[in-house]
Structures are given as structure tokens and as C-alpha cells.
Amino acid sequence: MRLDKFLHDSAGLSRKLAKKAVRDGRVRLDGEATHDPARHVAPSDTITLDGSVLPWPAPRYLMLNKPPDCICATRDPHQRTVIDLLPPAAGEHLLIAGRLDIDATGLLLLSDDGRWIHRVTSPRHAHEKVYLATLAEPLDHSAEARFTRGIFLEGENKRTLPATLARLSETEVRVTLTEGRYHQVKRMFGALGNRVATLHRERIGRIRLDPALEPGDYRELTAAEVAAFGS
């Protein structure tokens, strides 16, 4: 982490004031004055401002219920992003785990802990992702077997990994995947000659979307939820 970002997160200084404090010699790193706001610092460093030791800022872990018509990006000059749903201070430096299409809804996980985000999203960990989908047409009778066997998506020469498909009605299904290819759920049903009308994510790994969260709302993850992806 850059020193000026650390001062912003730990001491509440604006980036401008953080840089000035460093250049004015008010900041010491392990007892030595430093004048470089871009210097990299780590949790093992002791950093003081005007003689007071600053605590290392705790990482943030959030769950958000994504509404439609906003994109999974940290910033965009033309469209509303999921970060725009958060108060300005809460959204700073957050990364998004498990992106959703603009018209999809449901569970998103966000954090400024890059290692945790990697554990959530890395294909090596194969965390389950569960979606509720509404289809444009009644489901083909062979759909379950094809999902279990794996499907060749358009433009790809490797089957998808085995997935679980549960019928809830003629046009409503629950899909469980352990991978995250581009537009995967929509493309899998497209390969069956069908179309996804609505898509809602209910779960990532052992974390389920909190039913108390309205679309656009968010909350901090509990310690148990954070720990569900290991350390």
C-alpha cells in the first residue's frame, strides 16, 4: 500500500493533505523520517504521524444486492456502477468478486483485500455459484443431462464443467456452477436453443444473499462469512 493511501485510510487525511504531511516531515516510518508519499508500506511497519502511532486500517468486506441497470465496474463515465450505490467513502478502493451482467441481479461480494478476492474468484478453488433463472421458453427434456455432461459453448472447443440444473417450473430453474466463463449461464441455455429472460445470483460458496437486503442495499460480512473463503 502507498504511504499516502495508508494515511488516508488510517488517519482520515485527504490524499492532498497526506502528501503534504509526508513532505513536511510529520510522518516517520520505523522511526525514520520519509518524504516519499508513494513509498510502499506494509502491516509490519510502524508508522507515526506527529509522534502518534497509526493503526493499520482493517480490510472491508461487503455483500451487495445488485439491482438491474448498473454495471460491475469501479467507475464508468457513462453508466451507473455498483460502486455508485455506496457512499463515496465506503466505495473507495473496493474490488468486485464475481461480476454480474448489467441486467442480472443478486449477490455481489466486494472487498479491498485483494488476496481474499482472489480466493473467492480463483478457478482453483471452484466455489459454487448458484443462480435462479427465468427462461423465455419451456426447458428441453434433455437439459439436466446436458448440464451434467458439460456443454460446448459457441466459439469454444472445451465443454463446461459439470453443472447442476434443477427445474422449479416449466420456465424457472436453479443452476449451480463451479466455474465462471463469460456470460456462462446465458450461453449454456443459448446452446440449448433457449434464452435467459432474468438471472439472479443467490449464493457464492457458503455465502447466501441476505434476504433482508433490498436491491441496491449492502451490509458488512460477518466474521464467519469472511472466514468461509479461508485465510
Side-chain angles (χ1 to χ4, degrees):
M1 180 186 293
R2 283 173 53 118
L3 179 56
D4 55 352
K5 180 183 182 303
F6 170 84
L7 293 170
H8 168 78
D9 293 348
S10 181
L13 299 179
S14 68
R15 284 297 185 96
K16 182 178 180 180
L17 289 178
K19 288 181 170 118
K20 186 176 187 303
V22 174
R23 290 170 180 151
D24 288 348
R26 297 168 55 200
V27 178
R28 288 184 173 267
L29 178 61
D30 293 331
E32 299 293 330
T34 178
H35 299 279
D36 181 7
R39 181 167 177 173
H40 183 79
V41 295
S44 57
D45 296 324
T46 299
I47 303 166
T48 60
L49 173 65
D50 298 331
S52 297
V53 176
L54 297 176
W56 193 264
R60 293 170 294 151
Y61 305 93
L62 303 179
M63 167 193 299
L64 185 145
N65 185 359
K66 179 189 175 299
D69 302 323
C70 65
I71 63 173
C72 288
T74 54
R75 61 178 63 86
D76 189 276
H78 305 295
Q79 294 178 287
R80 183 175 67 153
T81 75
V82 293
I83 299 299
D84 293 331
L85 300 173
L86 306 173
E92 287 187 341
H93 313 301
L94 288 179
L95 303 171
I96 303 166
R99 295 168 185 267
L100 291 168
D101 299 340
I102 186 171
D103 57 343
T105 62
L107 177 61
L108 281 182
L109 300 177
L110 305 98
S111 177
D112 54 5
D113 182 344
R115 292 183 179 180
W116 187 84
I117 290 286
H118 178 73
R119 291 197 297 273
V120 175
T121 59
S122 172
R124 180 169 64 89
H125 297 294
H127 296 300
E128 287 187 345
K129 293 172 282 290
V130 181
Y131 300 85
L132 186 65
T134 304
L135 306 176
E137 304 291 340
L139 193 62
D140 182 88
H141 70 279
S142 66
E144 288 93 340
R146 294 184 65 182
F147 267 62
T148 300
R149 187 167 62 247
I151 293 174
F152 285 108
L153 303 179
E154 184 177 357
E156 299 189 18
N157 56 12
K158 184 178 180 181
R159 290 183 188 270
T160 59
L161 293 178
T164 301
L165 177 62
R167 296 178 190 241
L168 305 178
S169 72
E170 282 193 342
T171 56
E172 288 184 309
V173 296
R174 179 169 283 114
V175 178
T176 303
L177 308 175
T178 56
E179 58 183 344
R181 302 191 198 186
Y182 181 69
H183 295 324
Q184 182 168 344
V185 175
K186 292 179 179 178
R187 293 169 69 202
M188 290 178 79
F189 284 107
L192 301 184
N194 211 322
R195 180 177 63 83
V196 174
T198 66
L199 186 66
H200 179 81
R201 183 159 59 206
E202 301 177 309
R203 177 167 65 85
I204 301 174
R206 297 202 298 270
I207 298 183
R208 293 185 177 275
L209 179 63
D210 189 330
L213 290 180
E214 296 292 331
D217 286 349
Y218 72 98
R219 69 163 172 81
E220 293 185 2
L221 295 184
T222 65
E225 288 169 334
V226 174
F229 293 104
S231 59

